[in-house]
Amino acid sequence: MPKISIIVPIYKAEAVLAKCVDSVLAQTCSDWELLLIDDGSPDGSGALCDDYAGQDDRVRVFHKSNGGVSSARNLGMAEAGGDHILFIDADDWVEPTACQTLLEALEGAGADSAGCAHWNIQPDGEKWAEPGALPAGVYGAGAIRTGIVDRLLGQRLGKPGEVLNGFIWRFLFSRQIIAGHGLRFSGAYLEDELFLMEYFCLAQRLVMVDKPLYYYLQNPASVTRNYLPDYMDTFRRFLAAKEAVVARYGLEEDDPQWRWSTCWAGLLIAIGNEFAPGNPAPLGEKRRRVEGFTLEPGMAEAIRALEPRGMGRNKQLVAGLVRRRWFGLLALMYAVKNRR
């Protein structure tokens, strides 16, 4: 059995996959298996995966019909044979010492999980380091809950860098915890956040290193630019799933106001999505939809009960207009922004 199972979900990744896989093949630690999950990709990704498997018997390929990133990761976890699991996205790559550094830190600390910092990479090559979820050190169950779970639960508003992102690829996970508790990904958006919340409710010992070991390619295609017509349905399902995790692990007492923060964060994304340039609806229709979002019970309660503070200037402005119900001005602001 390998020490680490590395899972890479793949869809339309022919142009970037080689850099990702080559970074795994270059690892200074050789005790790993690489599971390439071809999620029904219509390009040449599947054939490229098969080529790599033919070159190295540690590479295993699974071809499946398209079902989304969650189903691809779930298949990878079901097939994994390693003691630990590491996720990599197909357009990203890792340092040659990533597996060795994380594994040595984990075993040295007697931990079940390990985490690291990462590099943010712009398409033009600009990069900057982002710290890990926690400073370097070793953390017990209580500190994990406070430092990771509670932040994912209720601290969803703030400036970039202050809000904990649900990046699963910054961690080396215990397969025993994942398999023993039947942990799975669900959905196509915010699935990482829910997985991390539940996993770290179960983890007992986490070691963090401050080295950036992962290269995260910033994708300009996001909900702020590309319109997702079913975003609100996706958010509703996410909120219901989050409520189930909260109930399962008794997290309500940690932050009784977590729904307000979560709903505000979801609403701000929904507004940006509705006014995205890719939405073909007339401006007036976009304004009416946004107003409708704010009238949904969970959103309306969050707007009444919580005034967001400490966010970036643009989000702070949007939140202020929403609380004053100045939707016409909000629509005009986005119209000007998109024209620019």
Side-chain angles (χ1 to χ4, degrees):
M1 276 195 180
K3 285 282 189 178
I4 301 175
S5 293
I6 302 170
I7 298 172
V8 181
I10 298 160
Y11 185 73
K12 292 185 178 179
E14 183 178 8
V16 295
L17 185 59
K19 188 165 190 174
C20 173
V21 176
D22 288 346
S23 75
V24 175
L25 297 176
Q27 289 299 296
T28 55
C29 165
S30 61
D31 197 2
W32 50 261
E33 64 172 354
L34 175 60
L35 283 67
L36 301 176
I37 315 298
D38 170 24
D39 189 33
S41 191
D43 61 5
S45 296
L48 187 56
C49 291
D50 292 335
D51 288 343
Y52 275 110
Q55 299 169 27
D56 193 316
D57 59 10
R58 295 172 297 177
V59 180
R60 301 164 61 198
V61 180
F62 299 87
H63 301 282
K64 61 183 287 295
S65 58
N66 181 248
V69 66
S70 288
S71 68
R73 286 172 177 158
N74 289 341
L75 174 59
M77 291 192 298
E79 296 291 343
D83 296 329
H84 312 286
I85 289 178
L86 180 70
F87 295 99
I88 305 177
D89 287 347
D91 52 353
D92 299 337
W93 61 99
V94 290
E95 281 280 351
T97 58
C99 289
Q100 180 178 346
T101 300
L102 290 171
L103 189 60
E104 288 180 351
L106 184 147
E107 293 177 344
D112 49 47
S113 314
C116 65
H118 74 274
W119 290 104
N120 290 298
I121 309 294
Q122 293 281 14
D124 63 5
E126 180 188 357
K127 72 175 185 178
W128 66 95
E130 183 170 328
L134 292 169
V138 181
Y139 300 85
I144 294 172
R145 180 149 170 170
T146 301
I148 295 182
V149 176
D150 288 353
R151 291 169 66 196
L152 290 170
L153 173 65
Q155 298 176 26
R156 310 318 301 150
L157 302 171
K159 291 184 173 67
E162 296 177 354
V163 176
L164 180 61
N165 289 309
F167 296 144
I168 60 165
W169 32 254
R170 296 194 295 185
F171 296 98
L172 187 62
F173 298 96
S174 163
R175 188 171 69 87
Q176 182 178 12
I177 291 176
I178 291 173
H181 295 272
L183 300 188
R184 292 293 182 267
F185 292 92
S186 178
Y189 185 65
L190 297 174
E191 75 286 348
D192 295 5
E193 184 176 312
L194 288 176
F195 183 89
L196 280 184
M197 276 187 63
E198 187 157 17
Y199 178 88
F200 281 115
C201 282
L202 299 164
Q204 296 300 304
R205 195 169 177 84
L206 166 69
V207 59
M208 294 293 304
V209 299
D210 55 9
K211 297 178 181 177
L213 301 173
Y214 190 98
Y215 291 84
Y216 171 43
L217 183 62
Q218 299 279 304
N219 185 358
S222 67
V223 293
T224 60
R225 300 189 181 191
N226 292 342
Y227 175 56
L228 302 178
D230 60 348
Y231 170 78
M232 278 303 295
D233 289 336
T234 300
F235 178 77
R236 295 182 192 105
R237 289 192 294 270
F238 161 75
L239 185 60
K242 190 170 184 178
E243 288 173 340
V245 171
V246 170
R248 189 177 306 130
Y249 296 99
L251 301 178
E252 190 83 39
E253 62 186 28
D254 290 11
D255 186 353
Q257 299 181 3
W258 70 267
R259 285 183 187 83
W260 299 344
S261 178
T262 300
C263 283
W264 258 117
L267 177 60
L268 292 172
I269 294 174
I271 292 171
N273 177 62
E274 196 62 36
F275 287 112
N279 184 358
L283 187 62
E285 177 61 23
K286 296 177 183 179
R287 182 193 63 76
R288 285 188 291 272
R289 288 178 186 171
V290 166
E291 187 171 0
F293 298 158
T294 67
L295 296 176
E296 294 193 13
M299 299 294 190
E301 180 182 354
I303 293 168
R304 287 194 304 269
L306 178 65
E307 181 179 359
R309 295 184 182 278
M311 300 186 297
R313 185 184 65 176
N314 290 344
K315 285 188 176 181
Q316 204 68 57
L317 176 60
V318 171
L321 293 175
V322 168
R323 296 194 86 235
R324 292 171 176 81
R325 307 197 65 78
W326 290 352
F327 298 109
L329 183 56
L330 180 66
L332 180 61
M333 182 188 75
Y334 271 99
V336 172
K337 174 185 175 184
N338 290 339
R339 192 174 299 120
R340 289 177 178 173

